DNA sequence: CTAAACTTTCAATAATTATTGAAAGTTTAT
DNA sequence: ATAAACTTTCAATAATTATTGAAAGTTTAG
């Protein structure tokens, strides 16, 4: 496999994975492109490379910046803006996990808490609703806390101990 | 908040969360409904409750069965089929994690391995592609292994206790 | 200040994905 | 074997989501 084929394969795979995780294709592809680029890219270069429109590029770059994984870089003497993504995978994972927790998991946990706190009127169906949503609440809380803990630790400590556990 | 409101809130929240995770709305809603139901439900009851068509119900029940989180239950003397979901949240999480790993994560890991194994032609861009996809590969492998480990903990615990009992 | 260079916005449109419902298929009771 | 009870399939359609491109907005050089 040559460079170009490998590059295209990577970008399209990452793009389709993004879709499954609630991130749209263009957004995931722009991030992939930046991730393997050796230099910051301009909007023009991104459009050209991925064959997407100016508007699409602009909107998705903004979203990536909102997620905190892409940053503008001003190059002296250049009028246009250049973009780079976080290059360290650990840091990237940390950002993504943090955002997903904030945007998706936390709001669900809040609803689960509300639902599991309704007053028990003694009927079987109410008892079941309370019991099951309480169990989900506990699971979601634990999973969320665990994810944040893992993702916020210093790389080596956690990787080492987990690798020990796994192996 | 009364029972009906809490129930609706739970089903719609869970439904919209599903969408974010690559599971469609109807599928997530059917699972939620079964999750808080005190008894197995027929297709008729599910359609009625969620206001969805017969075809939609049938297709999504099948998908849920493919995921291994819903099962058919035959009730003696009844001609129609009844459905239940896994009621234990740990077991549910285990199933979902296992399926996601198999369907989404493993295939991506495979591509990452391929891409990161292209021959190094000495150019900077090839070196960068190899370096970055290799880093992602390591991260994905670790994360996947970790997830499976965590999610299988409960089972291991149970397995261990059972083994003790048997021996 | 003005014009060129560049970015953002957003209504229109395209692409994708979910849903319906009726016909075809299957199973079971008699 | 047949008819009723039930489930599945799938082409048509609806709903949702992504993308375009041109107009409006912004910044900077001169």
């Amino acid at each position: 496999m040559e460079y170009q084929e490998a590059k295209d394969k990577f970008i399209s795979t990452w793009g389709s994975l993004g879709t499954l995780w609630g991130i749209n294709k263009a957004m995931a592809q722009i991030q992939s492109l930046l991730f393997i680029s050796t230099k910051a890219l301009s909007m023009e270069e991104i459009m050209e490379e991925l064959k997407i429109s100016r508007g699409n590029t602009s909107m998705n770059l903004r979203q990536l910046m909102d997620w905190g994984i892409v940053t503008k870089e001003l190059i002296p003497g250049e009028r246009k803006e250049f973009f780079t993504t976080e290059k360290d995978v650990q840091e990237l994972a940390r950002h993504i996990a943090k955002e997903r927790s904030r945007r998706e998991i936390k709001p669900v946990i809040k609803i689960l808490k509300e639902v599991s706190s309704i007053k028990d009127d003694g009927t079987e169906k109410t008892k079941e609703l309370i019991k099951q949503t309480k169990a989900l609440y506990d699971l979601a809380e634990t999973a969320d806390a665990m994810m944040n803990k893992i993702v916020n630790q210093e790389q080596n400590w956690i990787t080492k101990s987990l690798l020990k556990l796994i192996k």
Side-chain angles (χ1 to χ4, degrees), chain A residues 130-166:
Chain A
I130 293 171
K131 179 180 147 216
Q132 293 297 76
T133 52
K134 181 74 174 54
L136 271 184
Y137 171 76
D138 290 342
L139 177 74
E141 274 264 285
T142 308
D144 185 53
M146 203 151 75
M147 189 173 86
N148 284 308
K149 189 160 262 173
I150 287 166
V151 123
N152 281 308
Q153 293 297 334
E154 275 301 306
Q155 147 69 349
N156 280 337
W157 180 83
I158 194 72
T159 306
K160 278 177 189 161
S161 20
L162 280 168
L163 282 177
K164 266 183 216 161
L165 272 177
I166 293 160

Side-chain angles (χ1 to χ4, degrees), chain A residues 88-151:
Chain A
D88 179 67
V89 287
Q90 297 291 331
E91 197 56 25
L92 193 61
R94 213 179 70 79
H95 265 114
I96 293 171
K98 203 173 133 199
E99 280 300 295
R100 283 184 67 88
S101 167
R102 186 175 69 78
R103 291 166 195 240
E104 296 158 26
I105 303 170
K106 292 264 159 58
V108 170
I109 287 177
K110 189 165 165 285
I111 302 284
L112 287 176
K113 186 172 193 148
E114 281 172 43
V115 171
S116 67
S117 306
I118 61 166
K119 99 171 177 301
D120 185 350
D121 63 9
T123 64
E124 197 192 353
K125 62 185 189 175
T126 302
K127 281 184 190 306
E128 185 71 6
L129 177 64
I130 293 171
K131 179 180 147 216
Q132 293 297 76
T133 52
K134 181 74 174 54
L136 271 184
Y137 171 76
D138 290 342
L139 177 74
E141 274 264 285
T142 308
D144 185 53
M146 203 151 75
M147 189 173 86
N148 284 308
K149 189 160 262 173
I150 287 166
V151 123

Side-chain angles (χ1 to χ4, degrees), chain A residues 3 17 24 29 39 43 48 50 58 61-62 65 68 75 77 82 87 108 113 129 132 137 140 146 154 163:
Chain A
Y3 177 75
L17 186 71
N24 83 37
Q29 291 188 339
K39 58 175 184 37
M43 233 170 72
E48 162 62 22
L50 302 176
S58 170
L61 276 170
R62 179 135 64 88
M65 289 187 282
I75 294 187
F82 289 80
K87 287 279 186 159
V108 170
K113 186 172 193 148
L129 177 64
Q132 293 297 76
Y137 171 76
M146 203 151 75
E154 275 301 306
L163 282 177

Side-chain angles (χ1 to χ4, degrees), chain A residues 8-74:
Chain A
D8 294 347
K9 201 163 188 174
F10 172 64
I11 291 173
S12 80
T13 303
W14 214 237
S16 67
L17 186 71
T19 306
L20 281 167
W21 287 75
I23 285 165
N24 83 37
K25 206 179 78 185
M27 193 173 153
Q29 291 188 339
I30 293 171
Q31 198 277 328
S32 323
L33 179 63
L34 294 175
F35 189 67
I36 56 169
S37 168
T38 52
K39 58 175 184 37
L41 302 178
S42 67
M43 233 170 72
E44 213 70 43
E45 289 169 307
I46 296 168
M47 288 165 58
E48 162 62 22
E49 188 86 46
L50 302 176
K51 306 276 183 268
I52 58 178
S53 72
R54 189 175 296 284
N56 203 2
T57 308
S58 170
M59 283 169 121
N60 285 108
L61 276 170
R62 179 135 64 88
Q63 281 208 76
L64 285 164
M65 289 187 282
D66 287 349
W67 272 71
I69 55 182
V70 162
T71 43
K72 265 186 196 160
E73 194 165 288
L74 292 179

